[in-house]
Amino acid sequence: MTDKLRHPLTVNGEPRAFFGRRSGKRLHKGQDRLFRDKLPALEIKLPSGPLDPRTLFQMPAMRIELEIGYGGGEHLARLARSHRDTGFVGCEVFSGGVAKMLEAIDQNDLGNVRLFTDDALKLLVKLPDASLDAAYLLYPDPWPKTRHHKRRFVSPTTLAELARVLKPGAIFRFATDIEDYANWTLAHILREPRFRFLGASPGEWHTPYPGWEPTRYEEKARLEGRHVSFYFQFERLA
Ligand SMILES: C[S@@+](CC[C@H](N)C(=O)[O-])C[C@H]1O[C@@H](n2cnc3c(N)ncnc32)[C@H](O)[C@@H]1O
């Protein structure tokens, strides 16, 4: 296999496709304004070479954490409000979600958040080894049909990249309400020797993380009758 064929952003030699939604309802005027006035200073533009995430922030960030698919940004904004000396990188492709996050940044004066508005894997491949202190993937799109499973964010490629960019001892949190996606993720993680599953018992898997507040998607799942979630934690081994 050539290097080109093995590159994480290609599948069988073709550029990896993105299948999620990028835009929905029209943004209202205030959101349009935030896109125009605020996003340019906060948006991460990928350099041709590696991207040291510490250089994204004006303050000396004590830690750098990444959230993939932050949706409406409730979890990311909450973390950023309570950990002002941590730099947070949020990845989201859906413009409605980006708009909500921009509102939260504006209202809470969050100088410690930077946003990437394209496929998170494109950012991951640019990050240096061991450059992140934590990563979150909360309620990723479930792609329930078997023929769509390959669209799921969790894959050998994305886990290998996450393992590469997380520091030894860093925690990767993955939550879902879809049992099949929980099993899928465990099956893939078990094949990635750089991660250790921290769940000792099923009781623990269903216990929310300390200080947890449901995300917008989790609330939606509950309203639709899916009350049980899986809250997994994986440790990046040394
Ligand atoms: C089901 S929603 C969950 C949102 C949020 N985490 C929550 O719990 O409310 C999944 C989100 O991931 C985003 N997403 C999917 N694939 C992505 C990717 N490759 N890079 C960045 N964001 C992605 C989608 O646009 C969507 O907003």
Side-chain angles (χ1 to χ4, degrees), residues 16 18-22 67-75 91-94 97 116-121 137-143 151 153 212 214-218:
R16 167 186 147 97
F18 176 76
F19 296 99
R21 258 191 336 154
R22 287 185 188 267
E67 181 164 347
I68 296 170
Y70 57 75
E74 303 82 17
H75 175 263
C91 300
E92 177 54 63
V93 292
F94 182 56
F116 185 61
T117 60
D118 202 342
D119 178 1
L121 183 58
L137 179 61
L138 306 172
Y139 296 93
D141 292 320
W143 295 110
R151 298 181 180 184
F153 190 80
W212 176 251
T215 65
R216 185 173 295 242
Y217 182 90
E218 181 177 311

Side-chain angles (χ1 to χ4, degrees), residues 66-204:
L66 169 77
E67 181 164 347
I68 296 170
Y70 57 75
E74 303 82 17
H75 175 263
L76 185 59
R78 199 163 46 247
L79 284 185
R81 271 198 308 269
S82 50
H83 302 279
R84 299 258 175 188
D85 55 1
T86 295
F88 290 92
V89 174
C91 300
E92 177 54 63
V93 292
F94 182 56
S95 56
V98 177
K100 287 207 167 63
M101 192 64 216
L102 287 171
E103 284 172 337
I105 291 173
D106 197 43
Q107 284 160 14
N108 298 281
D109 196 18
L110 300 176
N112 55 339
V113 181
R114 294 294 179 270
L115 304 176
F116 185 61
T117 60
D118 202 342
D119 178 1
L121 183 58
K122 291 185 183 169
L123 175 80
L124 281 177
V125 300
K126 292 285 180 184
L127 296 177
D129 295 357
S131 53
L132 297 182
D133 295 273
Y136 306 90
L137 179 61
L138 306 172
Y139 296 93
D141 292 320
W143 295 110
K145 293 182 182 155
T146 309
R147 70 172 192 280
H148 289 154
H149 283 178
K150 55 181 177 299
R151 298 181 180 184
R152 287 176 168 173
F153 190 80
V154 171
S155 73
T157 305
T158 52
L159 289 180
E161 283 302 302
L162 277 168
R164 185 182 65 73
V165 300
L166 285 168
K167 294 179 183 171
I171 299 294
F172 165 43
R173 286 184 173 175
F174 169 93
T176 184
D177 57 312
I178 305 294
E179 188 169 1
D180 183 64
Y181 204 166
N183 291 333
W184 165 279
T185 298
L186 283 186
H188 281 86
I189 283 270
L190 291 175
R191 284 186 227 120
E192 174 45 77
R194 290 169 288 180
F195 279 120
R196 181 164 72 97
F197 179 37
L198 296 178
S201 68
E204 270 178 58

